[in-house]
Structures are given as C-alpha cells and as structure tokens.
Amino acid sequence: MPPLLDGTRLPEVDELLEGAVVVAQPMHTRFRGVTVREAMLLRGPAGWAEFSPFAEYGPEESSRWLAAAIEAGWQGWPAPVRDLVPVNATVPAVAAADVGRVLDSFGEVPAVKVKVAESGRTGPEGVAEDVARVAEVRRLRPGAALRIDANQGWDHATALAALQQLAEHELEYAEQPVAGIEGLARLREALHAAGTPMRIAADESVRKETDPLAVARAGAADLVVVKVQPLGGVRRALGIVGAAGLDAVVSSALDTSVGIAAGVALAASLPALPYACGLGTVALFTEDVVVPGWIPDAGRLASGATRARPVPDPSALARLRADEDRQQWWRQRLVQAHGVLSAT
C-alpha cells in the first residue's frame, strides 16, 4: 500500500492548528457507545477537513485519520466518476418499538443498516432483541435492501445461530459479525456448510489491521467496508479497494458533514458502486455544524461534481464549540498523530 501521505506535503503543526476548532455534536440516540460526537475541524487551502479519531485510539491509529484530513484540506480529492451516491439509513441498537422513529429521520432510502450485538447484549436475550429489531425494519421498509453490522461483537457460535435466524429477512450482507480475519473465514465456511446464504463484509478486519489486504488474501469476506478517515484518505482507500479485488461499501466513521463529504468523494470515485453507502449518519445528530447538513435526498447524496464542499456555519460552530479543556485535549492528539506521520 502507498504511504499515508503519498504525494502530499506534511504541513507543520502550527499550520494545521491555525483556525482549528473542536465541536461536540449531541446525538439523538447512543451509537457505538457515544452520545456526543467530538471532532476537530481544520481549515486548509483546499477546504475544510475533519480529524476525529475515536477517543480510545492512540497516536499510531490516529495518524491515519490525520493523513485523511491533510488530504482533504491540503490536497483535495480525485475527480468523481458519478454525480450521485446511494445512501442507506442506519438504525442503532434501539428497541423494536423505536425503529420507526429512527427510520423516519432518514426519509426514503434504498437500504437500511441495522446495528446488532450491542456491548453487554450479546447473549440469547440480546440476539432476540436484534432479531426483533431487524424484523421491524423489514416490516416498515419491505422494499429496502437490509444489512446488519455487529462490530465484531459476537463469538462464533452466537454469530452462526443469529445469522441463521436473520437469514429469513434476506439480508444483503452481515458486516463484521465476529472478530479477526480467521474468525470471519471460519464463520463464512460454517455458514456455507449449513446451507445458509449470507455474504460477509469485513470492516474492522480491513481498517484496523496492519495489512488491510490480508482479509482478501484469506478469502474471509465477500466485500469490504471502507471508511476514509481510518484508512488514511480517499486515494489510499481507492488503492486498497483496487488491490483487494472485492466489491466495496463506503461508510461513515460517525463524521460531521465535513467528514461525510470525504466519504462521498470516495464513493463517487470508485469504478463500481454496487451497494448503497453508510453515509447518512448526520441524521443521528441533533444538530450538525454544517447548515443544512449533508442529509440524503431521496436516498442519495450529490458528489463534488454537482455540489460544493461543506463549510461550517459560523453560528452552529459557535453553539457546538467544545470547552477549552477539550480543545486542548484534541490539539495534543493532533500533535501526537503528526509526530507519527513525520517519522514515516
């Protein structure tokens, strides 16, 4: 794979931090254990960029997210090959009774991704809740393509049993049902032996591995989920998809609209885009820093060919600005990530 900053100058820390601001965007529903999403927004010569690695990520992993921000703000993205990108709705691990409310916030979409295997809810009761949630989505959106995302939360036996139950809802694919490349390969083989038709998508086994192509070489997945920030930018993600030789789904890392634009740039640049993308997550925020936020229209987002890059709204930026302690905490994270990049 190409280096993180292939062909891109590494700006000095002071240049990156000039005008940088950290925002805290509250969410309608807890998602990935988060109720308020923090992100550092940077302003480069090519436009606004986002640096928002999750809080538990160290400097090495965060350096990929910074590389993506530098590409966005200091280099810009490749020219798109399509004007519109199809987008799925995302349903967090809510009770079945709350599914309708969540779906309504997305409007009409071609596909729905349902979160399952919530932390602490991976036993039989949790699986029953997951099945009920998926069944309610299928009832409310009978014509939508349906996929689930376990964020590697199940063990092998639980995943096999759960996916056999969920197969009746004609899932498009199951995203990272178990941890690790070997785990995915074993589960994929067991599903095949059981006669359960189910595509497996790799997410964490692509973006969190030292070698993002290992999952393809192992035959552990049918498709890959790619996210711009964790993979180090649009160009690097395009290279990974091309080398993997698998279909790809572009997804969000719970980005603000500034980061969503990078995801759209990736999706609009892929040679093929057979699946709707997980880029509608701005609907999960109570307020976004960009007004209006990058919300899909009729299940689609316009690419850079037909839509200007997002610019934060000054009043929203002021309302959502994190306190000074968080500003300093994020500045230190950027400095540490920058140190990793400068050493490569």
Side-chain angles (χ1 to χ4, degrees), residues 56-261:
E56 67 270 22
Y57 292 175
E60 183 74 32
E61 192 162 4
S62 296
S63 69
R64 303 176 196 170
W65 300 61
L66 182 57
I70 291 169
E71 179 194 53
W74 277 259
Q75 183 181 19
W77 301 309
V81 298
R82 60 184 56 83
D83 295 338
L84 295 171
V85 171
V87 176
N88 67 246
T90 301
V91 175
V94 297
D98 294 325
V99 165
R101 171 184 58 80
V102 175
L103 286 175
D104 287 346
S105 69
F106 288 90
E108 290 301 319
V109 290
V112 180
K113 179 164 79 172
V114 185
K115 290 289 185 175
V116 297
E118 179 81 346
S119 178
R121 304 296 297 170
T122 56
E125 289 186 1
V127 171
E129 292 169 357
D130 292 336
V131 172
R133 186 180 312 114
V134 171
E136 182 65 1
V137 172
R138 173 57 75 210
R139 185 184 72 84
L140 293 172
R141 296 290 188 274
L146 190 56
R147 66 279 294 260
I148 60 105
D149 181 7
N151 288 116
Q152 59 185 5
W154 285 325
D155 60 29
H156 176 82
T158 303
L160 183 59
L163 292 177
Q164 287 175 317
Q165 293 182 62
L166 290 167
E168 69 175 271
H169 297 295
E170 300 179 346
L171 299 187
E172 203 175 27
Y173 59 80
E175 182 177 330
Q176 200 71 47
V178 295
I181 294 171
E182 290 184 6
L184 288 180
R186 180 185 174 210
L187 177 62
R188 192 165 176 244
E189 182 178 345
L191 288 166
H192 179 75
T196 302
M198 184 73 64
R199 294 186 188 91
I200 298 297
D203 177 9
E204 285 87 351
S205 289
V206 175
R207 62 182 169 87
K208 295 182 77 69
E209 292 289 334
T210 303
D211 181 359
L213 297 178
V215 69
R217 285 197 297 269
D222 301 282
L223 59 147
V224 292
V225 177
V226 288
K227 300 176 181 180
V228 171
Q229 288 200 79
L231 291 178
V234 171
R235 288 174 179 80
R236 195 164 188 269
L238 284 171
I240 289 169
V241 173
L246 298 174
D247 286 335
V249 179
V250 181
S251 193
S252 156
L254 204 54
D255 310 285
T256 73
S257 285
V258 172
I260 290 294

Side-chain angles (χ1 to χ4, degrees), residues 18 28 41 53 55 62 67 157 173 191 214 216 250 269 311 327 342:
E18 184 179 358
H28 291 292
L41 303 181
S62 296
Y173 59 80
L191 288 166
V250 181
S269 300
V311 175
Q327 301 289 332
S342 65

Side-chain angles (χ1 to χ4, degrees), residues 298-325:
R300 299 181 299 179
L301 281 168
S303 75
T306 56
R307 184 177 190 177
R309 285 182 57 162
V311 175
D313 176 79
S315 59
L317 204 60
R319 286 193 303 274
L320 296 170
R321 183 184 174 90
D323 65 34
E324 193 54 37
D325 285 346

Side-chain angles (χ1 to χ4, degrees), residues 30 42 54 82 95 138 153 165 187 190 218 237 254 279 305 328 340:
R30 179 182 295 272
L42 313 175
F54 291 108
R82 60 184 56 83
R138 173 57 75 210
Q165 293 182 62
L187 177 62
L254 204 54
L279 296 172
Q328 292 302 320
V340 174

